[in-house]
Amino acid sequence: MGERSADAGQTGVVHPAPAAAVGARGWQIDEARRRATIDSLNLASLRRSAALRQITDFAAQLCAAPVALITLVEETDQAFLAATGTAMEGTRRTDSFCSHAMWEEDVTVFPDVAADERFIGNALLRDPGVRFYAGAPLVADDGVPLGALCVLDMAPRPEGLTTLQRDGLRVLASNVMARLRGSRDDAAWREAAGEARRAAAESETRFRTLADTMPQMVWSTLPDGYHDYYNARWYEFTGMPEGSTDGEAWNGVFHPDDQARAWAVWHHSLESGEAYQIEYRLRHADGTYRWVLGRALPIRDRHGAITRWFGTCTDIHEQKLALEEREVVSQELSHRIKNIFSVISGLIHFAARAHPELATVANDLRQRIIALGRAHDFVRPHSAESRPQLAQNSLHGLLAELFAPYQRAVGERIAVTGDDVAIDDRAATPLALLFHELATNASKYGALSVERGRVDLAVARGAGTVRLEWRERDGPHLDSPPPGGGFGSQLIELSAVRQLGGAVARSWHHDGLELVVTVPLPAFSRAAAT
C-alpha cells in the first residue's frame, strides 16, 4: 500500500471513542480489547523516555518538521509517549489526527488539515496552528491499533512526503513497536523474544537499505567514538576501500589543516554527550578536498547512557564557494562605495577653492560626507584583518567611530554609557547624520567649544523603544536658548523623525543643550523588526 491522502474516501474515518470500529484492515476492534492491549504493554516506564525521544528527534530531522510525536490513543484522550518540538503532554481524542491514521495500513498524510472538513473547529488548528500531518500507524502484534509516530508542521505541504521520508517513518515506527514490546513483563517478553529479534534484524536491514539510498554520507560509532559503520555513499565519495576507515582511520581523509580541529570538536562531543556539528574539508575520490557539514547525535538507552552515535556528512562545497564569492563581491562593492564618498568629498573641496565665498558651507558638507563614510566603513563587510574591534552591529561601536575626531581618547570629551543596541546598514546613515550634527554644533557653539566642557550620551533600551539622551555640560553660559530652525536643526529632525521614525525633545540649560531622542527599536535593525 502507498501513501494515504487526505481524501475522506481513502482515509479510515474514526469517530471519537467508539464502542467498536472497523479500520482499513476490515477488522472490528472494540475499545475493551484496545484497553487490554494497552495495559499489557506496561507503558509507564516508556513515557518521555530518552530512547523514544531519540526516535522523535530523528523523525523530525528526517522529515524537516518542527514537531514529531509518538502518540497513544486511549478512550477519551491522546497521550504523547515522546515528543520533539513541543512541551504538550497530550490532547483530547476528539482533536487527534492519529485517531485516524492508526487504523490505516500505511503512512497517512494530510497535506492541509485546515482544508479537510473532518477537522473543522479542531483546537489544534488554532494552537499551536497545525496545518500538515503525516503519521505511521503503531499496531500491536494482535492487530490492535495503538496510536502513531507522526510529524507536524505549521504550514501546509501540498507535496506531502518524499519516498525516502515515508520509508523512514515506517522504519522508525517499527523501532517504536520494538521498544513497546520490550516494556512488557518478563513472561510476555520471553514469549515474544524470537519475534522481537527477527523484527530487530529486519529493522537493521531496512535501516542499512534506507541509509544507502540517502544522498548524505551516514556513519555510526560505538559509545567511545570507534567508527564501525559507513553507508555506501561514504565509500563512493571518498573512494576508500570498505572497512579501511574504521576506528580512528576516518580522520585520515580530512584535510591536514582541519584534522586537529575536527578531533577536538569530536572529543568534546564524546565527553559531554552534546550534538556534534562542524564544517571541514574531506578528501574526494578524485583527490580534491571538498567542504562537508558533519553532524551527529547520540542514541541513549532508558537510563540515559549513550549506546551509539549516528552521524551524517553533507557535501556543501558549492554553497561554501558561492558564499565566499558573494563575500568578495560584497567587499569590493563596499570598497567602491567608500571611494565614491572620497570622490564627492574631493569635488566639494575643489568647488570651495574655486568659490571661496562657499568655503564654510562646503566644509560643513564635506564633514557630513566624511561622517557618512565613517558610518558606512563601520557596517560594511570586512576581511578578518580590516574588521573593527567592536561588533559591526554595535551602536556603541558606531558612535565611537563617529566621535573619534572630537576627542583624543575614547570618552575624554564625549562619554557614551548605557545599553548597547544592534544596528545594521539601514540605520547607520541617519544615526551618523544625527550625531555628527550634534557633535559639530557642540564643538562650534556648545560644550565642546571650551576646554572644560563635555558631553554625556546615555542609551536606554526599553520595551520596544530606545531612548538616546544627549546632555552637554560645563559649556558657555547661556542666558536664553539660541534661535532654532536652521539647517542643522532641520537635519536632526530629518534623521531622527523622518528616517528613524522617532521623536525629538530639546531643552536648554545654563551650560548647554539637552536633547532626548526616542526611537522605535525596529528602526535600528531589520532583525529587530522581525
PDB file of all heavy atoms in Angstrom, residues 438 441-442 445-447 470-472 476 478-485 489 492 505-515:
ATOM      1  N   LEU A 438      25.095  66.907  16.005  1.00  0.00           N
ATOM      2  CA  LEU A 438      25.126  67.299  17.413  1.00  0.00           C
ATOM      3  C   LEU A 438      26.561  67.575  17.870  1.00  0.00           C
ATOM      4  O   LEU A 438      26.832  68.571  18.564  1.00  0.00           O
ATOM      5  CB  LEU A 438      24.505  66.198  18.270  1.00  0.00           C
ATOM      6  CG  LEU A 438      22.981  66.045  18.174  1.00  0.00           C
ATOM      7  CD1 LEU A 438      22.528  64.791  18.906  1.00  0.00           C
ATOM      8  CD2 LEU A 438      22.282  67.278  18.747  1.00  0.00           C
ATOM      9  N   ASN A 441      27.908  70.852  16.195  1.00  0.00           N
ATOM     10  CA  ASN A 441      27.344  72.051  16.839  1.00  0.00           C
ATOM     11  C   ASN A 441      27.956  72.269  18.226  1.00  0.00           C
ATOM     12  O   ASN A 441      28.226  73.416  18.634  1.00  0.00           O
ATOM     13  CB  ASN A 441      25.833  71.934  16.939  1.00  0.00           C
ATOM     14  CG  ASN A 441      25.160  72.044  15.584  1.00  0.00           C
ATOM     15  OD1 ASN A 441      25.742  72.565  14.630  1.00  0.00           O
ATOM     16  ND2 ASN A 441      23.941  71.542  15.487  1.00  0.00           N
ATOM     17  N   ALA A 442      28.160  71.152  18.952  1.00  0.00           N
ATOM     18  CA  ALA A 442      28.750  71.277  20.289  1.00  0.00           C
ATOM     19  C   ALA A 442      30.183  71.788  20.215  1.00  0.00           C
ATOM     20  O   ALA A 442      30.634  72.533  21.093  1.00  0.00           O
ATOM     21  CB  ALA A 442      28.708  69.931  21.005  1.00  0.00           C
ATOM     22  N   TYR A 445      29.694  75.752  19.052  1.00  0.00           N
ATOM     23  CA  TYR A 445      28.976  76.702  19.900  1.00  0.00           C
ATOM     24  C   TYR A 445      28.710  76.186  21.312  1.00  0.00           C
ATOM     25  O   TYR A 445      28.410  76.967  22.207  1.00  0.00           O
ATOM     26  CB  TYR A 445      27.617  77.055  19.277  1.00  0.00           C
ATOM     27  CG  TYR A 445      27.663  77.286  17.785  1.00  0.00           C
ATOM     28  CD1 TYR A 445      27.068  76.382  16.907  1.00  0.00           C
ATOM     29  CD2 TYR A 445      28.301  78.410  17.262  1.00  0.00           C
ATOM     30  CE1 TYR A 445      27.101  76.591  15.540  1.00  0.00           C
ATOM     31  CE2 TYR A 445      28.343  78.619  15.895  1.00  0.00           C
ATOM     32  CZ  TYR A 445      27.743  77.699  15.027  1.00  0.00           C
ATOM     33  OH  TYR A 445      27.785  77.908  13.684  1.00  0.00           O
ATOM     34  N   GLY A 446      28.789  74.860  21.505  1.00  0.00           N
ATOM     35  CA  GLY A 446      28.347  74.284  22.766  1.00  0.00           C
ATOM     36  C   GLY A 446      29.475  73.844  23.672  1.00  0.00           C
ATOM     37  O   GLY A 446      30.560  74.442  23.705  1.00  0.00           O
ATOM     38  N   ALA A 447      29.241  72.769  24.398  1.00  0.00           N
ATOM     39  CA  ALA A 447      30.150  72.328  25.456  1.00  0.00           C
ATOM     40  C   ALA A 447      31.538  71.996  24.932  1.00  0.00           C
ATOM     41  O   ALA A 447      32.542  72.208  25.634  1.00  0.00           O
ATOM     42  CB  ALA A 447      29.549  71.104  26.165  1.00  0.00           C
ATOM     43  N   TRP A 470      21.220  63.122  24.944  1.00  0.00           N
ATOM     44  CA  TRP A 470      22.444  63.905  24.710  1.00  0.00           C
ATOM     45  C   TRP A 470      22.438  65.088  25.686  1.00  0.00           C
ATOM     46  O   TRP A 470      21.550  65.911  25.672  1.00  0.00           O
ATOM     47  CB  TRP A 470      22.444  64.378  23.262  1.00  0.00           C
ATOM     48  CG  TRP A 470      23.524  65.338  22.886  1.00  0.00           C
ATOM     49  CD1 TRP A 470      23.542  66.686  23.082  1.00  0.00           C
ATOM     50  CD2 TRP A 470      24.753  65.014  22.217  1.00  0.00           C
ATOM     51  NE1 TRP A 470      24.703  67.233  22.585  1.00  0.00           N
ATOM     52  CE2 TRP A 470      25.460  66.231  22.033  1.00  0.00           C
ATOM     53  CE3 TRP A 470      25.310  63.841  21.742  1.00  0.00           C
ATOM     54  CZ2 TRP A 470      26.702  66.278  21.399  1.00  0.00           C
ATOM     55  CZ3 TRP A 470      26.548  63.885  21.117  1.00  0.00           C
ATOM     56  CH2 TRP A 470      27.232  65.093  20.953  1.00  0.00           C
ATOM     57  N   ARG A 471      23.436  65.145  26.573  1.00  0.00           N
ATOM     58  CA  ARG A 471      23.467  66.206  27.595  1.00  0.00           C
ATOM     59  C   ARG A 471      24.844  66.867  27.598  1.00  0.00           C
ATOM     60  O   ARG A 471      25.864  66.229  27.849  1.00  0.00           O
ATOM     61  CB  ARG A 471      23.172  65.608  28.977  1.00  0.00           C
ATOM     62  CG  ARG A 471      23.247  66.625  30.125  1.00  0.00           C
ATOM     63  CD  ARG A 471      22.110  67.622  30.063  1.00  0.00           C
ATOM     64  NE  ARG A 471      22.020  68.413  31.280  1.00  0.00           N
ATOM     65  CZ  ARG A 471      22.638  69.576  31.491  1.00  0.00           C
ATOM     66  NH1 ARG A 471      23.427  70.103  30.555  1.00  0.00           N
ATOM     67  NH2 ARG A 471      22.487  70.225  32.631  1.00  0.00           N
ATOM     68  N   GLU A 472      24.860  68.164  27.244  1.00  0.00           N
ATOM     69  CA  GLU A 472      26.091  68.938  27.258  1.00  0.00           C
ATOM     70  C   GLU A 472      26.254  69.594  28.631  1.00  0.00           C
ATOM     71  O   GLU A 472      25.289  70.124  29.197  1.00  0.00           O
ATOM     72  CB  GLU A 472      26.067  69.995  26.161  1.00  0.00           C
ATOM     73  CG  GLU A 472      25.947  69.409  24.761  1.00  0.00           C
ATOM     74  CD  GLU A 472      25.961  70.469  23.672  1.00  0.00           C
ATOM     75  OE1 GLU A 472      26.474  71.579  23.928  1.00  0.00           O
ATOM     76  OE2 GLU A 472      25.440  70.184  22.570  1.00  0.00           O
ATOM     77  N   PRO A 476      29.646  77.058  27.408  1.00  0.00           N
ATOM     78  CA  PRO A 476      29.471  78.505  27.570  1.00  0.00           C
ATOM     79  C   PRO A 476      28.136  78.823  28.228  1.00  0.00           C
ATOM     80  O   PRO A 476      27.109  78.178  27.943  1.00  0.00           O
ATOM     81  CB  PRO A 476      29.521  79.020  26.133  1.00  0.00           C
ATOM     82  CG  PRO A 476      30.255  77.966  25.372  1.00  0.00           C
ATOM     83  CD  PRO A 476      29.903  76.674  26.015  1.00  0.00           C
ATOM     84  N   LEU A 478      24.626  80.196  29.031  1.00  0.00           N
ATOM     85  CA  LEU A 478      23.507  80.608  28.169  1.00  0.00           C
ATOM     86  C   LEU A 478      22.500  81.396  28.992  1.00  0.00           C
ATOM     87  O   LEU A 478      21.996  80.899  30.015  1.00  0.00           O
ATOM     88  CB  LEU A 478      22.823  79.374  27.559  1.00  0.00           C
ATOM     89  CG  LEU A 478      23.667  78.506  26.608  1.00  0.00           C
ATOM     90  CD1 LEU A 478      22.878  77.265  26.193  1.00  0.00           C
ATOM     91  CD2 LEU A 478      24.058  79.296  25.378  1.00  0.00           C
ATOM     92  N   ASP A 479      22.211  82.609  28.541  1.00  0.00           N
ATOM     93  CA  ASP A 479      21.152  83.375  29.191  1.00  0.00           C
ATOM     94  C   ASP A 479      19.781  83.020  28.639  1.00  0.00           C
ATOM     95  O   ASP A 479      18.762  83.130  29.336  1.00  0.00           O
ATOM     96  CB  ASP A 479      21.407  84.879  28.991  1.00  0.00           C
ATOM     97  CG  ASP A 479      22.670  85.337  29.718  1.00  0.00           C
ATOM     98  OD1 ASP A 479      22.926  84.808  30.821  1.00  0.00           O
ATOM     99  OD2 ASP A 479      23.381  86.204  29.169  1.00  0.00           O
ATOM    100  N   SER A 480      19.761  82.574  27.407  1.00  0.00           N
ATOM    101  CA  SER A 480      18.498  82.186  26.769  1.00  0.00           C
ATOM    102  C   SER A 480      18.807  81.191  25.660  1.00  0.00           C
ATOM    103  O   SER A 480      19.938  81.140  25.148  1.00  0.00           O
ATOM    104  CB  SER A 480      17.784  83.416  26.179  1.00  0.00           C
ATOM    105  OG  SER A 480      18.585  84.021  25.176  1.00  0.00           O
ATOM    106  N   PRO A 481      17.834  80.351  25.272  1.00  0.00           N
ATOM    107  CA  PRO A 481      18.064  79.381  24.205  1.00  0.00           C
ATOM    108  C   PRO A 481      18.436  80.082  22.912  1.00  0.00           C
ATOM    109  O   PRO A 481      17.875  81.129  22.568  1.00  0.00           O
ATOM    110  CB  PRO A 481      16.717  78.667  24.085  1.00  0.00           C
ATOM    111  CG  PRO A 481      16.049  78.885  25.387  1.00  0.00           C
ATOM    112  CD  PRO A 481      16.484  80.240  25.853  1.00  0.00           C
ATOM    113  N   PRO A 482      19.400  79.530  22.163  1.00  0.00           N
ATOM    114  CA  PRO A 482      19.755  80.123  20.874  1.00  0.00           C
ATOM    115  C   PRO A 482      18.612  79.954  19.895  1.00  0.00           C
ATOM    116  O   PRO A 482      17.755  79.088  20.049  1.00  0.00           O
ATOM    117  CB  PRO A 482      20.992  79.330  20.449  1.00  0.00           C
ATOM    118  CG  PRO A 482      20.867  78.029  21.151  1.00  0.00           C
ATOM    119  CD  PRO A 482      20.188  78.324  22.454  1.00  0.00           C
ATOM    120  N   PRO A 483      18.573  80.782  18.863  1.00  0.00           N
ATOM    121  CA  PRO A 483      17.485  80.655  17.878  1.00  0.00           C
ATOM    122  C   PRO A 483      17.575  79.310  17.156  1.00  0.00           C
ATOM    123  O   PRO A 483      18.663  78.803  16.874  1.00  0.00           O
ATOM    124  CB  PRO A 483      17.738  81.828  16.916  1.00  0.00           C
ATOM    125  CG  PRO A 483      19.191  82.155  17.088  1.00  0.00           C
ATOM    126  CD  PRO A 483      19.516  81.864  18.520  1.00  0.00           C
ATOM    127  N   GLY A 484      16.425  78.718  16.854  1.00  0.00           N
ATOM    128  CA  GLY A 484      16.376  77.420  16.173  1.00  0.00           C
ATOM    129  C   GLY A 484      15.871  77.556  14.760  1.00  0.00           C
ATOM    130  O   GLY A 484      15.708  78.656  14.231  1.00  0.00           O
ATOM    131  N   GLY A 485      15.621  76.417  14.152  1.00  0.00           N
ATOM    132  CA  GLY A 485      15.045  76.395  12.818  1.00  0.00           C
ATOM    133  C   GLY A 485      16.053  76.437  11.709  1.00  0.00           C
ATOM    134  O   GLY A 485      15.690  76.517  10.530  1.00  0.00           O
ATOM    135  N   SER A 489      19.221  72.082  12.672  1.00  0.00           N
ATOM    136  CA  SER A 489      18.014  71.599  13.355  1.00  0.00           C
ATOM    137  C   SER A 489      17.143  70.786  12.406  1.00  0.00           C
ATOM    138  O   SER A 489      16.568  69.751  12.775  1.00  0.00           O
ATOM    139  CB  SER A 489      17.223  72.780  13.914  1.00  0.00           C
ATOM    140  OG  SER A 489      17.973  73.475  14.879  1.00  0.00           O
ATOM    141  N   ILE A 492      18.718  67.328  11.948  1.00  0.00           N
ATOM    142  CA  ILE A 492      18.437  66.470  13.105  1.00  0.00           C
ATOM    143  C   ILE A 492      17.004  65.945  13.030  1.00  0.00           C
ATOM    144  O   ILE A 492      16.731  64.773  13.281  1.00  0.00           O
ATOM    145  CB  ILE A 492      18.680  67.248  14.411  1.00  0.00           C
ATOM    146  CG1 ILE A 492      20.172  67.532  14.581  1.00  0.00           C
ATOM    147  CG2 ILE A 492      18.121  66.479  15.607  1.00  0.00           C
ATOM    148  CD1 ILE A 492      20.495  68.426  15.758  1.00  0.00           C
ATOM    149  N   ALA A 505      12.998  65.828  21.629  1.00  0.00           N
ATOM    150  CA  ALA A 505      12.635  66.830  22.638  1.00  0.00           C
ATOM    151  C   ALA A 505      13.904  67.575  23.048  1.00  0.00           C
ATOM    152  O   ALA A 505      14.902  66.951  23.433  1.00  0.00           O
ATOM    153  CB  ALA A 505      11.990  66.166  23.848  1.00  0.00           C
ATOM    154  N   ARG A 506      13.885  68.934  22.956  1.00  0.00           N
ATOM    155  CA  ARG A 506      15.040  69.759  23.305  1.00  0.00           C
ATOM    156  C   ARG A 506      14.729  70.569  24.565  1.00  0.00           C
ATOM    157  O   ARG A 506      13.608  71.016  24.772  1.00  0.00           O
ATOM    158  CB  ARG A 506      15.388  70.739  22.184  1.00  0.00           C
ATOM    159  CG  ARG A 506      15.879  70.120  20.903  1.00  0.00           C
ATOM    160  CD  ARG A 506      16.180  71.226  19.893  1.00  0.00           C
ATOM    161  NE  ARG A 506      16.639  70.724  18.614  1.00  0.00           N
ATOM    162  CZ  ARG A 506      15.836  70.297  17.642  1.00  0.00           C
ATOM    163  NH1 ARG A 506      14.520  70.314  17.819  1.00  0.00           N
ATOM    164  NH2 ARG A 506      16.342  69.873  16.495  1.00  0.00           N
ATOM    165  N   SER A 507      15.771  70.753  25.361  1.00  0.00           N
ATOM    166  CA  SER A 507      15.683  71.692  26.483  1.00  0.00           C
ATOM    167  C   SER A 507      17.068  72.291  26.683  1.00  0.00           C
ATOM    168  O   SER A 507      18.087  71.631  26.457  1.00  0.00           O
ATOM    169  CB  SER A 507      15.208  70.993  27.760  1.00  0.00           C
ATOM    170  OG  SER A 507      16.083  69.946  28.108  1.00  0.00           O
ATOM    171  N   TRP A 508      17.103  73.577  27.089  1.00  0.00           N
ATOM    172  CA  TRP A 508      18.368  74.290  27.230  1.00  0.00           C
ATOM    173  C   TRP A 508      18.620  74.591  28.707  1.00  0.00           C
ATOM    174  O   TRP A 508      17.762  75.093  29.412  1.00  0.00           O
ATOM    175  CB  TRP A 508      18.344  75.594  26.432  1.00  0.00           C
ATOM    176  CG  TRP A 508      18.255  75.359  24.959  1.00  0.00           C
ATOM    177  CD1 TRP A 508      17.141  75.280  24.194  1.00  0.00           C
ATOM    178  CD2 TRP A 508      19.353  75.136  24.088  1.00  0.00           C
ATOM    179  NE1 TRP A 508      17.449  75.024  22.885  1.00  0.00           N
ATOM    180  CE2 TRP A 508      18.826  74.936  22.782  1.00  0.00           C
ATOM    181  CE3 TRP A 508      20.749  75.101  24.242  1.00  0.00           C
ATOM    182  CZ2 TRP A 508      19.632  74.707  21.681  1.00  0.00           C
ATOM    183  CZ3 TRP A 508      21.553  74.869  23.135  1.00  0.00           C
ATOM    184  CH2 TRP A 508      20.990  74.672  21.871  1.00  0.00           C
ATOM    185  N   HIS A 509      19.800  74.239  29.152  1.00  0.00           N
ATOM    186  CA  HIS A 509      20.242  74.558  30.499  1.00  0.00           C
ATOM    187  C   HIS A 509      21.273  75.686  30.411  1.00  0.00           C
ATOM    188  O   HIS A 509      21.744  76.021  29.324  1.00  0.00           O
ATOM    189  CB  HIS A 509      20.842  73.329  31.173  1.00  0.00           C
ATOM    190  CG  HIS A 509      19.886  72.173  31.243  1.00  0.00           C
ATOM    191  ND1 HIS A 509      18.988  72.002  32.266  1.00  0.00           N
ATOM    192  CD2 HIS A 509      19.671  71.137  30.371  1.00  0.00           C
ATOM    193  CE1 HIS A 509      18.271  70.907  32.058  1.00  0.00           C
ATOM    194  NE2 HIS A 509      18.661  70.359  30.904  1.00  0.00           N
ATOM    195  N   HIS A 510      21.662  76.230  31.547  1.00  0.00           N
ATOM    196  CA  HIS A 510      22.592  77.363  31.513  1.00  0.00           C
ATOM    197  C   HIS A 510      23.951  76.975  30.935  1.00  0.00           C
ATOM    198  O   HIS A 510      24.690  77.820  30.442  1.00  0.00           O
ATOM    199  CB  HIS A 510      22.766  77.937  32.925  1.00  0.00           C
ATOM    200  CG  HIS A 510      23.504  77.016  33.851  1.00  0.00           C
ATOM    201  ND1 HIS A 510      22.873  75.993  34.536  1.00  0.00           N
ATOM    202  CD2 HIS A 510      24.825  76.966  34.182  1.00  0.00           C
ATOM    203  CE1 HIS A 510      23.775  75.353  35.248  1.00  0.00           C
ATOM    204  NE2 HIS A 510      24.956  75.911  35.059  1.00  0.00           N
ATOM    205  N   ASP A 511      24.296  75.638  30.983  1.00  0.00           N
ATOM    206  CA  ASP A 511      25.617  75.231  30.487  1.00  0.00           C
ATOM    207  C   ASP A 511      25.553  74.391  29.217  1.00  0.00           C
ATOM    208  O   ASP A 511      26.550  73.810  28.809  1.00  0.00           O
ATOM    209  CB  ASP A 511      26.377  74.460  31.563  1.00  0.00           C
ATOM    210  CG  ASP A 511      25.643  73.210  32.020  1.00  0.00           C
ATOM    211  OD1 ASP A 511      24.442  73.067  31.689  1.00  0.00           O
ATOM    212  OD2 ASP A 511      26.268  72.381  32.696  1.00  0.00           O
ATOM    213  N   GLY A 512      24.369  74.271  28.590  1.00  0.00           N
ATOM    214  CA  GLY A 512      24.349  73.554  27.331  1.00  0.00           C
ATOM    215  C   GLY A 512      23.030  72.875  27.017  1.00  0.00           C
ATOM    216  O   GLY A 512      22.060  72.920  27.786  1.00  0.00           O
ATOM    217  N   LEU A 513      23.005  72.214  25.883  1.00  0.00           N
ATOM    218  CA  LEU A 513      21.809  71.577  25.325  1.00  0.00           C
ATOM    219  C   LEU A 513      21.554  70.217  25.955  1.00  0.00           C
ATOM    220  O   LEU A 513      22.485  69.448  26.213  1.00  0.00           O
ATOM    221  CB  LEU A 513      21.996  71.414  23.802  1.00  0.00           C
ATOM    222  CG  LEU A 513      20.989  70.526  23.064  1.00  0.00           C
ATOM    223  CD1 LEU A 513      19.596  71.162  23.040  1.00  0.00           C
ATOM    224  CD2 LEU A 513      21.474  70.255  21.633  1.00  0.00           C
ATOM    225  N   GLU A 514      20.288  69.918  26.167  1.00  0.00           N
ATOM    226  CA  GLU A 514      19.853  68.549  26.478  1.00  0.00           C
ATOM    227  C   GLU A 514      18.849  68.154  25.409  1.00  0.00           C
ATOM    228  O   GLU A 514      17.833  68.821  25.229  1.00  0.00           O
ATOM    229  CB  GLU A 514      19.221  68.451  27.862  1.00  0.00           C
ATOM    230  CG  GLU A 514      18.753  67.029  28.175  1.00  0.00           C
ATOM    231  CD  GLU A 514      18.136  66.902  29.558  1.00  0.00           C
ATOM    232  OE1 GLU A 514      18.060  67.932  30.263  1.00  0.00           O
ATOM    233  OE2 GLU A 514      17.734  65.793  29.919  1.00  0.00           O
ATOM    234  N   LEU A 515      19.158  67.076  24.686  1.00  0.00           N
ATOM    235  CA  LEU A 515      18.282  66.619  23.608  1.00  0.00           C
ATOM    236  C   LEU A 515      17.983  65.141  23.825  1.00  0.00           C
ATOM    237  O   LEU A 515      18.903  64.329  24.029  1.00  0.00           O
ATOM    238  CB  LEU A 515      18.953  66.835  22.242  1.00  0.00           C
ATOM    239  CG  LEU A 515      18.117  66.457  21.013  1.00  0.00           C
ATOM    240  CD1 LEU A 515      18.276  67.496  19.908  1.00  0.00           C
ATOM    241  CD2 LEU A 515      18.555  65.092  20.488  1.00  0.00           C
TER     242      LEU A 515
END
